[in-house]
Amino acid sequence: MKSLRTYAIPFTGLKLGKHLFEYEIGEEFFKEFEYSLVKKATLLCKVELEKQETMMILNFDITGTVTATCDKCLSEYQQPIAIEEQQIARFSEEEMGEDDEIITLGKNDHEINIAGLIYEYVTVAMPFVALCSNQGDGKQCDEEMLDSLNKLSVNDEQTEKIDPRWDALKKLK
């Protein structure tokens, strides 16, 4: 978790207005999250923090590629990612209930760690079904692997020979 300290933005010393932060996100970032679906990535995260009197608005722009495994042929491919998200953090002493839309910062908070938000945005941006064709360069699945999988797949019932011992049971209908 020490390497995630890089993603903590100390906001107390910032003047009102917009501030830009850039982060390069790679394999080391995702190693910090146990059971992460994403293992390798080359991403650039630009965060525009707009500090106001009562709140901060964080605009995230994350672009790059994530190494994914094709669900069809099991080969690795580069999944392009382009994410634009916004998060609001407000300054308040009163406890608000759990709210995913707004982060509440108290008077004892001096920084905001955005590592969890970046991880969440990248993970949610991954396609539900990962296919080589998602890569965007016209590459299709590995034909050799697909042929091997087809040979090993279960045959249809129609092509299988029926055991003659079952014929006696069919007559009982």
Side-chain angles (χ1 to χ4, degrees):
M1 290 301 267
K2 275 189 173 182
S3 68
L4 296 182
R5 295 280 311 142
T6 308
Y7 303 95
I9 300 173
F11 58 82
T12 52
L14 296 177
K15 295 180 180 177
L16 297 180
K18 294 184 179 182
H19 306 275
L20 188 63
F21 300 90
E22 283 191 11
Y23 302 97
E24 289 184 10
I25 300 168
E27 189 175 338
E28 292 300 316
F29 176 82
F30 293 101
K31 281 183 180 178
E32 294 295 328
F33 295 92
E34 197 175 3
Y35 309 117
S36 174
L37 296 176
V38 177
K39 302 292 183 212
K40 298 179 190 173
T42 306
L43 301 168
L44 177 64
C45 176
K46 295 179 183 177
V47 180
E48 180 188 76
L49 184 147
E50 183 180 347
K51 186 176 179 184
Q52 299 176 0
E53 290 288 332
T54 59
M55 68 177 164
M56 292 187 301
I57 301 172
L58 297 145
N59 291 309
F60 292 84
D61 182 23
I62 306 170
T63 55
T65 59
V66 174
T67 302
T69 302
C70 179
D71 290 337
K72 194 172 184 182
C73 71
L74 305 176
S75 65
E76 286 190 346
Y77 74 97
Q78 297 301 311
Q79 173 69 45
I81 297 285
I83 304 165
E84 288 187 14
E85 289 288 340
Q86 185 179 69
Q87 181 66 54
I88 297 172
R90 71 178 215 135
F91 304 114
S92 177
E93 290 310 312
E94 36 183 275
E95 281 296 318
M96 290 179 58
E98 285 293 315
D99 189 1
D100 292 335
E101 301 291 321
I102 299 175
I103 297 171
T104 303
L105 300 169
K107 68 178 178 182
N108 294 333
D109 294 325
H110 303 288
E111 64 185 16
I112 183 167
N113 195 322
I114 59 171
L117 294 170
I118 294 170
Y119 173 76
E120 181 181 323
Y121 296 148
V122 172
T123 303
V124 170
M126 291 299 291
F128 186 68
V129 177
L131 296 173
C132 291
S133 57
N134 293 348
Q135 192 164 309
D137 63 359
K139 182 183 175 216
Q140 297 299 318
C141 287
D142 181 4
E143 290 297 326
E144 188 178 318
M145 178 60 84
L146 291 177
D147 290 341
S148 297
L149 289 172
N150 284 335
K151 288 177 187 174
L152 296 172
S153 69
V154 178
N155 294 332
D156 292 332
E157 288 183 29
Q158 299 167 350
T159 59
E160 289 182 17
K161 289 188 175 183
I162 299 173
D163 190 336
R165 293 176 285 182
W166 292 106
D167 289 337
L169 291 174
K170 285 184 181 177
K171 295 176 185 174
L172 295 175
K173 287 184 183 179

